[in-house]
Each structure stands twice: as structure tokens, then as C-alpha cells.
Amino acid sequence: MINQLPNSVTNPSWWQLIKWIADPIGFQQKYSQKYGDIFSVNLSVIGSFVIIGHPQAIQEIFIQDSKFDIGRGNQLAKPHLGQNSLMLMDGSRHRRERKLLMPPFHEEKLQTYAQQICSITKQIVSQWQISQPFLARSAMQKVSLEVILLIVFGLSEGERYQQLKLLLPSWLDMIDSPLRSSMVFLPFLQQDWGRWTPWGQMKHRRRCIHQLLQAEIAEKRTKKDKNQSDVLSLMMAARDENGQAMTDEEIKDELLTILFTGHETTATMLAWALYELHRNSDVLEKLLQELYKLGENPNPMEISRLPYLTAVCQETLRMYPVIPIIFPRITKSSINIAGYQFEPETTLMPSIYLVHYREDLYPHPYQFKPERFLERQYSPSEYFPFGGGSRRCLGYALALLEMKLVLATVLSNYQLALVKNRPIRMQRRGLTLTPNGGVPMVITGKR
Ligand code: HEM
């Protein structure tokens, strides 16, 4: 059966693929203007996809999420995260694993980490020197890495953690530009000819991370402390319906998934928030006023409930979707979405970017206006920085809490400025988008 896809982009598929890798935002802007908010692309070796920027269609997808294979659409992540990653699972295995990993990320449980998130931030920013330039994204990555290590392993200190803190960013930095990200998308570049080739080096670093994780698992096993509630302890204690424990390979893939998804994304969002706040002095002033009202040493949970701070984070997540398109949804059988009949094996890709920049929902979408989130409520298909349906981001509550506490801690203690007052673009970093150049900033004083 020939699968007729709607509004197909007619450029050669290799051209579409290069554009998609090099400039995913420009790609979506250009073709949505030409073909409308539901259009089909052919990305050569990666396949054909229907990109969807229509809230009604996305609502229909979220409601019928069980009619799609989603893990199968994430195969690009397999060489990095491993075949036992939650992101690659479907059906009952996905449901079971998600249920297992969820408890440490529940809002109530996260409250116990709130004070530690503030302390980690204070400790890292206390090393900043007045007048010394720094990259906001790298600084925020240090914070978010410490936080996720704490949640995944419990205590985060000792030599192994120091090694992990160096290795994880250096592994991920190997795909920090559109050119280097090509390795993720183009199988012919995935050649391991030893450590002097980029792919070989990436695999080597991943192996080193696995060795550290294995050592951590072995040490935890000797401790046998049943009262631990960190992610690793939960995985080690879990048994399936046949009484079987997870294998070490399964545990390591899952640990890597949480470490990867749990710190890159939040660090990027924090860098964007600092960038926008220091380009919009009125917004910064309003936020500082709100923070001052809490007085000295406020309770972290009070900070997390501040309405304007919440709106600042929401607006940052709107404008800078770190994952611009949610996980691909592959139709298991013929399905009707928004009046289109899609055949089995069609891959639908709801675009966060296209929806978050719709003029009809967000007037003047290129303006940073937190107020819009105080003035109206958006439905889960009009605003979905964390995706939706059965795959909604596992760590969304942690990400939001962390964004608020880190921003409040940094802004209450330091005066910062952007090194250059020029626009910064979103740039590809593997499967995510990040600020080009990392947001250079400088500390101008203490508060
Ligand atoms: C601001 C930060 C973050 C953003 C914007 C973000 C965004 C997303 C998005 C868009 C998805 C795909 C959802 C879908 O396809 O419907 C996702 C999935 C996921 N996220 Fe996040 N995320 C963030 C932080 C985190 C954190 C802190 C964790 C820590 C555990 C995390 C763990 C995951 C996992 C494990 C999945 C896969 C869920 C599944 O397959 O069931 N994320 N995230």
C-alpha cells in the first residue's frame, strides 16, 4: 500500500536531511510557512515523518498514545543510551519500568532534595570571581549534574563521582555542534576505528562511564541498605512478576538515561533563563522584587510557589524547547488524526517549537513575556515543553523545581550581566537544542 503523506516537502531528501541536522528551527519555520502546520518531510536515511504543529491534532495524539509505538521511534538514541533505556521501550515493559523509576521524581519526594539543590548551587557559585567571565550553560551544567547524581545515587561524593562529573560532560560535548551531531544521525559516520576517530572516542568514553557505574553497583550491593530511596537502590531492589532482578546491563542503561536526560536539559533551560532575564531588565526587576519579599533565607518550597518566578520559567520553556520535537509516534494501525487518515507505520512528530510560536496562542511569540502565563491558562496540547501522553517527561517536576531554586539562589546572591548584548541562536547539540556559544556572562557584583 502506498502511504500518501500530507503536504510533502519537495526538496531532495538529502537536502532536507542536511537542513534538519544543521538548522532544525529554520527548517521548521521555512516549511511550516510554505506547507502549513501539518507537513511531511523525507529525511533520507532517517526516514519520512509528518511534522505536526496543530494543537487539536496533538491533543488527538496524546489521547490515543497507546495506538503508537514510541520507543521504536527513538532508535537513534540506542548507541548512546543502550538498548535497555526507558526511552527505547514500548508497551508493558515501558509501563513497568516507568512505574519503577517514578517514585524519586514525585513532587513530595523532591521536597526532601530542595534544600540540597540550594546548597549545591551556593557551593558552585561561591567559586565565581567578580569580573570573571563564565559560560552560563557550563556553570548550570555543573549544578544540574550534582543534583542528578544526588538523586540517582544518594550521596554524591568520593573519587568515582569526581570522575563521573568530568566524564559525563566530556562524553556529551562530543556532539556539541551541528557538524559533530551528524554522528548521531548518519550511521555511516558511526565507525569505531579506535580512539583517534570521533565515534571510537565517543564509545571509549561511554565504556569508561559504564565501568564507573558498574563499580557503583558493585559497591551498593555490598552495603545492602534496604532503606535507600535513590534511583539506583530502587532498581537494584526491583523484581519482575517472575521474581527476577534487573541485570547489571539493564541497570547501567537506565542509569545513563537518567543521568543524560536529567542534567543536560535543565542546564540548558537555566542558561536561557539567565540570558532572557539579563536582556529584559523590567522582567528581572519584577522577579527580584518578588524574591526580596520572601526575606533572608526563605524556605525553598515557598520559593517554588512564587507566581512570577514560575511564569519566568514557563516562558523560558516556551521560547526555548530544548527538545524541539517530542518523541516520534509510529502508528500501529490505520488512524485518523485531524481529518488525515494515516496508514500503519507512519511516523508522526508533534512539534513543541511550532506550537509554542503560534501567533494565535502566543501574541508576539518572539518576545519574552512571562505575564502571558499569569493572564491565561494553556491546555496540554497548546503548551507542552515536557511532551505528553504516556511519555510525558519523567523528570518534569524536578526540572521545574530545580530551575526555580537555582535561579532564585543565583539572582539573590549575585549581579550578573551578558558579556555581549547580541542575540543568541538555538543550535543543535545531538538530539537537543542549546544556546550557541553557551551564553557568556560576567559577575558584576554581589547582592
Ligand atoms: C527543563 C528540562 C527538561 C525538559 C524540557 C524535558 C523534556 C522532555 C520531553 C519533551 C520528553 C519527551 C516526551 C514525549 O515524547 O511526550 C522527555 C522525556 C523524558 N525525560 Fe525529560 N525534560 C527535562 C528534564 C528532565 C529531567 C530532569 C529528567 C530526569 C529524570 C528527565 C527524564 C526524562 C525521561 C526518562 C524521559 C523519557 C520518558 C519515557 O520515555 O517514558 N527529563 N523530556
Side-chain angles (χ1 to χ4, degrees):
M1 187 181 331
I2 295 176
N3 198 352
Q4 283 292 343
L5 297 177
N7 311 321
S8 292
V9 172
T10 52
N11 299 76
S13 61
W14 58 268
W15 171 250
Q16 293 183 49
L17 176 63
I18 292 172
K19 284 283 291 173
W20 173 252
I21 295 174
D23 181 14
I25 293 297
F27 180 97
Q28 292 189 64
Q29 281 170 336
K30 178 173 164 186
Y31 292 129
S32 62
Q33 273 161 20
K34 188 161 172 195
Y35 294 96
D37 47 22
I38 300 186
F39 60 93
S40 310
V41 299
N42 181 348
L43 302 182
S44 183
V45 286
I46 309 185
S48 295
F49 305 95
V50 182
I51 295 186
I52 301 183
H54 194 285
Q56 179 60 37
I58 291 168
Q59 187 187 5
E60 289 175 32
I61 293 173
F62 283 161
I63 291 173
Q64 306 180 76
D65 234 12
S66 61
K67 297 188 176 159
F68 301 96
D69 273 342
I70 303 176
R72 190 153 65 88
N74 273 334
Q75 292 305 308
L76 283 175
K78 188 168 162 184
H80 309 278
L81 302 178
Q83 60 183 5
N84 301 300
S85 163
L86 178 73
M87 274 174 57
L88 274 80
M89 291 174 191
D90 275 308
S92 56
R93 188 171 176 213
H94 173 259
R95 276 194 298 278
R96 202 178 56 228
E97 197 94 347
R98 218 181 130 96
K99 209 166 141 197
L100 168 71
L101 295 174
M102 206 59 216
F105 298 100
H106 274 144
E107 259 169 278
E108 311 83 72
K109 175 72 197 153
L110 289 172
Q111 293 188 10
T112 58
Y113 293 116
Q115 198 62 59
Q116 280 158 296
I117 295 177
C118 296
S119 310
I120 288 172
T121 313
K122 276 189 193 139
Q123 198 266 325
I124 287 176
V125 300
S126 67
Q127 292 153 17
W128 289 354
Q129 309 277 331
I130 307 281
S131 304
Q132 192 186 340
F134 67 100
L135 291 180
R137 196 188 171 284
S138 313
M140 293 301 108
Q141 192 171 2
K142 279 192 188 144
V143 175
S144 61
L145 188 50
E146 292 258 0
V147 171
I148 201 70
L149 284 171
L150 176 75
I151 295 174
V152 167
F153 296 119
L155 259 185
S156 39
E157 55 192 31
E159 198 185 327
R160 204 173 298 130
Y161 295 101
Q162 300 306 331
Q163 287 175 307
L164 261 180
K165 276 192 272 179
L166 290 177
L167 257 174
L168 272 167
S170 79
W171 172 57
L172 296 166
D173 281 350
M174 294 218 54
I175 44 168
D176 67 350
S177 71
L179 189 63
R180 284 149 67 104
S181 298
S182 312
M183 270 195 297
V184 176
F185 296 94
L186 305 175
F188 64 85
L189 293 178
Q190 297 174 359
Q191 304 297 338
D192 183 1
W193 287 320
R195 274 157 60 179
W196 55 91
T197 55
W199 189 253
Q201 181 60 247
M202 254 198 109
K203 282 188 74 175
H204 169 70
R205 290 185 191 176
R206 185 178 180 275
R207 267 195 304 273
C208 294
I209 297 173
H210 259 225
Q211 279 163 9
L212 291 172
L213 297 179
Q214 184 65 54
E216 187 59 33
I217 295 171
E219 190 180 312
K220 203 138 219 147
R221 207 161 263 144
T222 59
K223 284 189 188 150
K224 293 207 167 67
D225 182 351
K226 292 213 163 45
N227 296 323
Q228 298 283 337
S229 59
D230 56 88
V231 177
L232 176 54
S233 303
L234 283 175
M235 279 197 280
M236 291 177 68
R239 298 289 176 271
D240 68 11
E241 59 273 23
N242 304 320
Q244 284 289 317
M246 284 171 82
T247 64
D248 285 2
E249 275 316 302
E250 288 170 332
I251 293 179
K252 279 183 282 185
D253 288 354
E254 220 55 296
L255 284 177
L256 203 52
T257 301
I258 303 287
L259 288 174
F260 162 68
T261 52
H263 89 283
E264 281 263 307
T265 44
T266 315
T268 295
M269 292 321 305
L270 280 163
W272 281 123
L274 289 173
Y275 166 71
E276 282 297 345
L277 284 167
H278 292 86
R279 274 162 61 87
N280 295 278
S281 51
D282 51 331
V283 177
L284 177 61
E285 197 44 48
K286 214 164 153 182
L287 178 57
L288 287 172
Q289 290 308 324
E290 189 181 60
L291 292 172
Y292 289 151
K293 279 197 197 130
L294 290 183
E296 293 236 338
N297 297 322
N299 176 324
M301 293 326 287
E302 270 183 76
I303 298 177
S304 75
R305 284 190 285 269
L306 290 174
Y308 198 65
L309 176 61
T310 303
V312 164
C313 295
Q314 286 171 312
E315 178 68 340
T316 311
L317 286 158
R318 177 191 72 81
M319 278 185 81
Y320 299 105
V322 59
I323 301 176
I325 288 206
I326 63 172
F327 297 163
R329 268 66 176 165
I330 305 175
T331 55
K332 289 200 263 192
S333 53
S334 181
I335 190 170
N336 191 297
I337 301 281
Y340 291 103
Q341 192 64 32
F342 293 109
E343 299 304 330
E345 295 298 310
T346 308
T347 307
L348 310 183
M349 303 220 289
S351 167
I352 303 181
Y353 172 79
L354 287 181
V355 174
H356 284 189
Y357 277 79
R358 284 180 74 103
E359 280 271 359
D360 56 348
L361 294 174
Y362 303 97
H364 308 292
Y366 293 89
Q367 270 177 26
F368 186 73
K369 267 182 56 181
E371 287 72 14
R372 59 175 107 238
F373 284 94
L374 300 172
E375 286 158 9
R376 75 165 269 193
Q377 292 239 317
Y378 293 93
S379 76
S381 56
E382 292 172 339
Y383 179 70
F384 53 105
F386 296 106
S390 60
R391 310 301 284 225
R392 186 177 185 201
C393 174
L394 190 83
Y396 81 93
L398 168 64
L400 278 174
L401 179 70
E402 192 176 334
M403 279 178 76
K404 292 177 197 175
L405 298 182
V406 175
L407 277 181
T409 309
V410 170
L411 297 172
S412 316
N413 287 289
Y414 289 95
Q415 287 173 337
L416 309 174
L418 293 167
V419 169
K420 286 190 186 139
N421 191 14
R422 59 167 178 80
I424 295 181
R425 286 186 305 109
M426 285 185 255
Q427 170 186 284
R428 185 178 283 291
R429 179 181 165 92
L431 297 170
T432 67
L433 296 184
T434 193
N436 181 17
V439 187
M441 298 194 81
V442 60
I443 298 132
T444 53
K446 286 197 171 180
R447 287 193 207 277

